[in-house]
Amino acid sequence: LALEIKENEILANHSTFRIGGAARYFAIAESTDDLIKARDFAKEKKLPFLILGGGSNILFGDNGYEGVIIKIKDMKLEADGLNVVAGAGVLFGQLIIRSIDYGMSGLEWGAGIPGTVGGAVAGNAGAYGHSISEFVKSVAVLAENGEVLRYSNKDCGFVYRGSKFKNPDNHEIILEVEFALQKGNKRKSGEAIGDVLAKRRGKLPRFPSVGSVFKNIVVDELEEKGEVLKLVPAEKIKGGKLAAGFLIEQSGLKGRQAGGAKIAEEHANFIVNTGGAKAADVLELIGLCKQRVMEKFGIALKEEIIVIK
Ligand SMILES: Cc1cc2nc3c(=O)[nH]c(=O)nc-3n(C[C@H](O)[C@H](O)[C@H](O)COP(=O)(O)OP(=O)(O)OC[C@H]3O[C@@H](n4cnc5c(N)ncnc54)[C@H](O)[C@@H]3O)c2cc1C
């Protein structure tokens, strides 16, 4: 089957933020073959390409994307012993449920995190003290030269909310991920998921968003650590990290609006689209958060989300 490549596809329809202009070209890749075709197409047109999973961690610009967006929908999911192999396009939530069905456990903390396996691994998604990198055994990627390479966990460059695949200069495409899990108990896993979802429900904003906008601060990496510790109560540092949302709230920005965008009342590290928000509105709030937190705490906030301008 020939790969269908659409023109001028509205990206707001492919982002959980519901924000973004048109992509010059847009393809849905259901196989490695499709990915190669879509990438070759971009090369022929001398345009950049961007891999899209669930669009739950990305802010598209109001002018869209002058290139090829390749949405990945590789849905393979197989179990072998205590390993699960998932295609990059499988929803992370589906991986969690299916691995429990297979009699395994380990990923319950991730219940409620939107997006795909590829997106979760690229961004080293995490919650409640866990990150997906703890469970990744290997990652198969499509390299720039067309070869399929398999990286072991330690070669993926995992860091807090990142990996080498999230670096904009890395053009490798995650094809599938092998996870190493533990033997599970379906009833206990079901309860754990129920607990996680209940906790999340209380905290999550009801408007469209792309999750936490900024990374939390790894206190040991701060240059002016001593100065910061004078300004922040010790109990606000958990697992060596200081919540970006706390710093934004302390800077008096909770609830601040720009156009249709708003710093969420429920969680100051979320910016929400209350209706008709433009990327420019979100960028204004991002700039404001950075400026105020720098002024008040001397800390440079860094985006967790991918921003396409
Ligand atoms: C309500 C809400 C709650 C959230 N809660 C959490 C949370 O608790 N913890 C957390 O970590 N995140 C959270 N997020 C953020 C987001 O869900 C995660 O970052 C998720 O893992 C992103 O996956 P995605 O498929 O949507 O990625 P996308 O947004 O589609 O892409 C993100 C980045 O990954 C790259 N990418 C995607 N697939 C591939 C691939 N196959 N190969 C190479 N690169 C790829 C993209 O190019 C892009 O740079 C939340 C988001 C929302 C909206």
Side-chain angles (χ1 to χ4, degrees):
L1 273 184
L3 176 72
E4 190 196 351
I5 296 180
K6 295 184 193 170
E7 288 188 57
N8 301 320
E9 177 80 3
I10 300 297
L11 291 170
N13 295 331
H14 298 281
S15 158
T16 56
F17 230 154
R18 318 305 290 168
I19 294 175
R24 181 76 184 86
Y25 295 104
F26 185 93
I28 293 182
E30 294 184 16
S31 63
T32 305
D33 241 26
D34 285 353
L35 283 170
I36 293 173
K37 281 184 198 151
R39 211 173 54 173
D40 286 350
F41 176 83
K43 223 180 265 171
E44 265 166 43
K45 297 276 180 194
K46 299 197 168 54
L47 288 173
F49 72 88
L50 179 82
I51 299 295
L52 182 64
S56 65
N57 204 27
I58 195 162
L59 171 64
F60 290 117
D62 296 318
N63 295 327
Y65 185 69
E66 187 52 32
V68 186
I69 298 281
I70 308 174
K71 186 169 165 79
I72 194 160
K73 275 206 171 164
D74 181 348
M75 299 300 195
K76 170 179 167 177
L77 218 147
E78 287 167 2
D80 175 14
L82 290 177
N83 292 346
V84 183
V85 176
V90 171
L91 292 178
F92 183 35
Q94 204 175 10
L95 167 68
I96 298 169
I97 297 297
R98 292 282 296 279
S99 61
I100 293 169
D101 278 347
Y102 290 134
M104 294 177 227
S105 162
L107 299 173
E108 292 81 353
W109 54 269
I113 299 181
T116 61
V117 165
V121 167
N124 195 10
Y128 304 113
H130 288 288
S131 309
I132 200 165
S133 58
E134 291 163 49
F135 305 89
V136 171
K137 195 167 171 190
S138 70
V139 176
V141 303
L142 181 64
E144 275 189 89
N145 64 6
E147 262 181 80
V148 174
L149 306 176
R150 189 169 283 277
Y151 291 118
S152 69
N153 180 300
K154 70 172 180 15
D155 294 327
C156 295
F158 285 122
V159 291
Y160 164 63
R161 292 298 177 276
S163 72
K164 69 175 179 183
F165 311 113
K166 201 174 177 180
N167 180 338
D169 297 329
N170 182 301
H171 296 297
E172 292 170 321
I173 302 173
I174 299 171
L175 297 175
E176 63 175 44
V177 182
E178 184 186 11
F179 294 92
L181 301 176
Q182 302 120 35
K183 195 168 157 40
N185 170 306
K186 282 186 199 181
R187 187 184 50 79
K188 280 194 188 148
S189 292
E191 285 169 8
I193 285 183
D195 288 348
V196 168
L197 291 178
K199 261 194 244 170
R200 291 179 71 92
R201 226 170 280 134
K203 276 205 319 203
L204 285 190
R206 61 199 169 90
F207 289 113
S209 76
V210 279
S212 292
V213 173
F214 299 104
K215 291 182 186 177
N216 291 330
I217 287 83
V218 180
V219 174
D220 277 343
E221 290 174 5
L222 287 173
E223 272 176 33
E224 306 286 340
K225 181 176 162 185
E227 294 304 307
V228 170
L229 292 179
K230 284 184 208 156
L231 298 170
V232 174
E235 72 269 16
K236 291 290 167 190
I237 298 168
K238 288 182 190 139
K241 295 197 195 74
L242 177 57
F246 170 75
L247 299 176
I248 295 167
E249 193 178 336
Q250 292 296 305
S251 305
L253 291 174
K254 198 180 230 187
R256 176 63 77 97
Q257 271 184 273
K262 183 177 183 184
I263 298 177
E265 303 281 359
E266 300 90 338
H267 189 326
N269 198 12
F270 274 55
I271 294 177
V272 293
N273 178 358
T274 63
K278 298 280 174 211
D281 301 332
V282 177
L283 292 172
E284 188 181 324
L285 292 178
I286 287 178
L288 191 62
C289 289
K290 285 184 171 177
Q291 185 198 336
R292 290 285 178 80
V293 169
M294 178 51 82
E295 282 166 9
K296 195 165 162 90
F297 297 97
I299 293 177
L301 290 178
K302 293 199 186 81
E303 286 89 342
E304 176 177 323
I305 60 170
I306 300 283
V307 176
I308 305 293
K309 282 190 188 154

